[in-house]
Amino acid sequence: MSLFEPVEQRILRDARVLDPDFVPDVLPFRESHLQEIASSISYALETGSSSNIFVVGPPGTGKTASIRYVLRELSSYSPLTFQSYINCWIYRSRFSIISALAGALRVPLPRRGFAPDEAYSRIFERLGDYRGAVIVLDEVDRIASASSDVLYDFSRLHSFVDGPLVLITIANTENFVYSLDPRITSTLFSKKLVFERYTVPQLKEILRERAKIALAEGSYDDNVLGMCAAIGWKRGGDARAAISCLREAAILAERKGDDRITVSHVKAVAESVDGARVSSLDPKLRPIVDILRENGEMRVSALYDEYVTRVGKITMRAFRNYINELERLGIVNVRRLPVRGNVRAVSLR
Ligand SMILES: Nc1ncnc2c1ncn2[C@@H]1O[C@H](COP(=O)(O)OP(=O)(O)O)[C@@H](O)[C@H]1O
Ligand SMILES: [Mg+2]
């Protein structure tokens, strides 16, 4: 007997299919978005013009998957078009973003630092070898405040390049846009494509497609999919949450030696995920979750007062950063109230 027998997977036939990075062959409910992005790119390539697209929507609404899908199609349709996908969560600074672009184009840059304009002109000289370029900055809200210089660079890139250039920026919210230089905002963020939260039936349909290829036949039923969909909806119409719930439930069922996933497996993983998310939070953020749990939706100002009472004095500015962080983590929702002025309310997802 060999020491390393493959583990028999009765339920989870292909775990990769339920990975967050997996890009499926079809993206239901996003056909018109895909079409719109593709049309902008092909228009730019055909006419030699440039454009900027700002993709915005809450976490798990298929923004990254859609862009990856379009890039995949583009590489077979137009292999000579340069494409670069940069996740700003990983590449946070101006230096690292420029280096990533240069690396993708095999443009050597001095290790000890370089002048950005010099680097850009080398990069764009090299782009002359291609039939246009599509550059994606995903999770761009991560860098917005810290290194808006790179956004300023990107808002001017069109002036460096002769050929068609499409810049696609992606973010979970557009709150960060208001704090940027209007010159950046008007070039990079004026053409907006909004990804809406998924509804329960939509999430269920997405799960059904995924389960068909990831799970063994007969190892799950409609109730299991419905419950994962409901959990994804509660987390803000988030397909990632729904899919990972299904994956964790499958793993749990297998570990227990059961041969099918049941609603109780789903319940168990949902509770442990919620608990783990909150208990691993930064202790400074934790009281905000507690206050919201006790009070339901609250205006930012009331939430702030309560926080200060419990925890001690901090500036409103710092407090707003905490709220932004919780929003990014997908733990709270922030909405603008339909009253005069910029009044926002926060609630747990
Ligand atoms: N319309 C869809 N059809 C199938 N899978 C989807 C769809 N939308 C999102 N997903 C899946 O949900 C997960 C999260 O999507 P993602 O694109 O990463 O969200 P975002 O970038 O908006 O946070 C990914 O695994 C993705 O494949
Ligand atoms: Mg994403």
Side-chain angles (χ1 to χ4, degrees):
M1 185 194 128
S2 133
L3 203 47
F4 293 101
E5 293 279 3
V7 182
E8 196 203 339
Q9 307 237 287
R10 266 171 310 176
I11 299 175
L12 206 52
R13 274 198 323 211
D14 190 349
R16 281 171 319 167
V17 172
L18 298 180
D19 269 357
D21 293 340
F22 180 81
V23 180
D25 289 334
V26 284
L27 285 170
F29 316 112
R30 291 301 180 235
E31 292 87 354
S32 65
H33 295 80
L34 296 172
Q35 197 56 59
E36 189 158 344
I37 301 164
S39 309
S40 303
I41 295 175
S42 47
Y43 182 81
L45 295 180
E46 299 307 327
T47 59
S49 61
S50 294
S51 72
N52 302 312
I53 308 168
F54 177 37
V55 170
V56 63
T61 51
K63 302 180 300 296
T64 301
S66 297
I67 293 298
R68 288 231 177 252
Y69 188 101
V70 170
L71 293 182
R72 193 167 70 189
E73 296 270 305
L74 177 67
S75 60
S76 48
Y77 166 75
S78 179
L80 289 179
T81 300
F82 171 75
Q83 42 171 274
S84 176
Y85 169 90
I86 297 175
N87 188 324
C88 300
W89 203 25
I90 301 168
Y91 298 94
R92 286 163 185 254
S93 68
R94 188 186 204 185
F95 178 84
S96 63
I97 289 173
I98 295 176
S99 304
L101 271 180
L105 287 161
R106 298 202 191 81
V107 170
L109 289 179
R111 277 231 224 147
R112 296 253 213 88
F114 45 80
D117 276 4
E118 164 72 18
Y120 284 121
S121 62
R122 286 205 218 169
I123 286 171
F124 287 107
E125 206 179 294
R126 183 63 59 91
L127 277 181
D129 300 345
Y130 292 84
R131 181 169 176 252
V134 177
I135 299 175
V136 180
L137 294 181
D138 200 350
E139 315 239 14
V140 70
D141 44 336
R142 299 264 170 184
I143 55 163
S145 55
S147 9
S148 63
D149 49 1
V150 80
L151 294 181
Y152 183 63
D153 296 343
F154 274 74
S155 71
R156 298 183 310 145
L157 284 189
H158 298 293
S159 60
F160 286 92
V161 199
D162 278 341
L165 171 64
V166 178
L167 284 176
I168 301 175
T169 44
I170 310 177
N172 289 339
T173 80
E174 51 182 313
N175 292 345
F176 72 96
V177 170
Y178 307 115
S179 63
L180 295 170
D181 185 325
R183 284 173 298 181
I184 301 177
T185 313
S186 62
T187 40
L188 286 185
F189 301 114
S190 57
K191 185 174 172 203
K192 201 163 66 177
L193 187 58
V194 178
F195 280 57
E196 307 287 353
R197 299 169 198 283
Y198 292 117
T199 61
V200 174
Q202 288 178 332
L203 289 169
K204 201 166 165 189
E205 178 62 26
I206 290 171
L207 287 169
R208 189 173 292 128
E209 291 300 320
R210 216 48 91 81
K212 256 194 251 165
I213 45 177
L215 304 178
E217 228 182 295
S219 68
Y220 60 94
D221 60 28
D222 224 45
N223 292 335
V224 165
L225 300 184
M227 186 151 187
C228 293
I231 288 163
W233 182 77
K234 248 183 68 189
R235 306 247 166 88
D238 182 336
R240 184 185 297 107
I243 293 170
S244 82
C245 186
L246 184 62
R247 184 189 51 216
E248 297 308 312
I251 292 171
L252 177 66
E254 241 163 33
R255 208 170 53 220
K256 287 191 159 174
D258 301 334
D259 44 32
R260 43 187 296 127
I261 310 172
T262 63
V263 166
S264 66
H265 295 128
V266 179
K267 266 193 194 138
V269 294
E271 278 161 18
S272 75
V273 168
D274 277 340
R277 266 164 28 121
V278 173
S279 63
S280 64
L281 267 186
D282 186 321
K284 293 195 296 284
L285 303 178
R286 183 67 193 273
I288 301 177
V289 175
D290 294 337
I291 296 169
L292 289 171
R293 197 166 272 155
E294 291 160 29
N295 295 281
E297 187 179 61
M298 292 174 85
R299 291 187 177 208
V300 173
S301 54
L303 183 57
Y304 170 76
D305 291 341
E306 184 59 29
Y307 184 90
V308 170
T309 314
R310 292 194 194 185
V311 183
K313 189 124 189 77
I314 67 165
T315 63
M316 188 57 161
R317 194 191 171 100
F319 185 71
R320 283 188 198 281
N321 285 335
Y322 292 178
I323 301 287
N324 287 343
E325 186 55 24
L326 285 170
E327 188 183 19
R328 273 210 282 250
L329 292 169
I331 293 176
V332 303
N333 277 325
V334 182
R335 68 182 183 106
R336 201 185 273 238
L337 292 180
V339 296
R340 267 170 62 103
N342 185 8
V343 181
R344 286 164 195 273
V346 188
S347 57
L348 285 179
R349 269 197 171 193

